[in-house]
Amino acid sequence: DDLLCFGPELAVAETFEALSRQIDMDPPEDIEKYLGCHHEVSRTEHNGEQVTEVDFHMSQYCASACDQFEKETGVLLKSAPTPFVPDISQDKLDDLCNQPGEFGEEASHFLMQLLYCARNARPDIVIAITRLASRVCKWNADCDRRLIRLYEYLKSHTLLHLTGSLS
């Protein structure tokens, strides 16, 4: 299906040539999209050194996940500046923690869908996801509130992406 090769150009070319003698393959090309993650590679010069920069984008994946969440839960997602819920009174929090959550059965699905995205291109949502994932077996109404907020943040910030550079 797909073969990813990373390394010095000469080594990659030699490896590909050896493999292509055994397997019928198309010629290698730069990676653009792999498992829902778009990769944009650019090369520039900085202080006389060549710098390779890679942007990892999953905006379409994020938008699709948000649309699916809205469709499956009936929740209309609003805008949110962070993936974390605002503070509420201790009494209100206690009430929410003592009520069963609506999304407990589907929580793992919704969280793992986002964890895949977080691992590839969106480290800004990892903490919110893993904190909620630790509550999957003890899901309550406060967890619902936190899950909705996470999806609201994601919908509000679908264009954020991860950028890395090598020199």
Side-chain angles (χ1 to χ4, degrees):
D1 218 72
D2 291 325
L3 174 67
L4 300 177
C5 292
F6 298 94
E9 286 185 45
L10 182 60
V12 170
E14 289 172 353
T15 301
F16 180 79
E17 186 178 321
L19 284 172
S20 64
R21 281 184 284 215
Q22 303 294 319
I23 303 168
D24 182 28
M25 296 190 285
D26 292 333
E29 53 189 48
D30 286 343
I31 190 168
E32 291 177 11
K33 182 179 178 186
Y34 183 71
L35 297 176
C37 184
H38 293 268
H39 301 74
E40 291 180 17
V41 179
S42 61
R43 291 173 178 80
T44 59
E45 194 168 305
H46 182 71
N47 293 335
E49 297 280 330
Q50 183 173 352
V51 176
T52 301
E53 194 170 271
V54 182
D55 289 320
F56 301 92
H57 297 268
M58 293 190 76
S59 55
Q60 291 173 337
Y61 183 94
C62 292
S64 176
C66 291
D67 290 345
Q68 182 181 3
F69 182 81
E70 286 181 321
K71 183 178 177 185
E72 291 182 21
T73 63
V75 172
L76 182 60
L77 298 173
K78 299 176 254 173
S79 179
T82 75
F84 304 104
V85 295
D87 290 336
I88 57 174
S89 71
Q90 189 62 46
D91 291 340
K92 201 171 198 177
L93 181 61
D94 289 342
D95 286 343
L96 289 172
C97 289
N98 289 320
Q99 295 175 29
E102 289 181 49
F103 309 130
E105 300 256 336
E106 301 89 14
S108 293
H109 160 70
F110 292 131
L111 292 169
M112 293 309 105
Q113 184 176 33
L114 295 188
L115 185 59
Y116 173 72
C117 176
R119 291 177 63 200
N120 283 290
R122 294 296 301 271
D124 57 317
I125 59 175
V126 170
I127 291 173
I129 293 167
T130 55
R131 285 182 182 167
L132 275 172
S134 73
R135 304 282 311 158
V136 166
C137 293
K138 305 173 276 235
W139 200 264
N140 59 41
D142 185 54
C143 298
D144 285 346
R145 178 176 80 107
R146 292 172 187 276
L147 181 66
I148 291 168
R149 177 60 177 240
L150 174 59
Y151 270 90
E152 287 177 334
Y153 170 76
L154 191 64
K155 186 170 184 170
S156 304
H157 298 86
T158 56
L159 297 178
L160 290 180
H161 61 277
L162 180 65
T163 300
S165 61
L166 304 165
S167 57

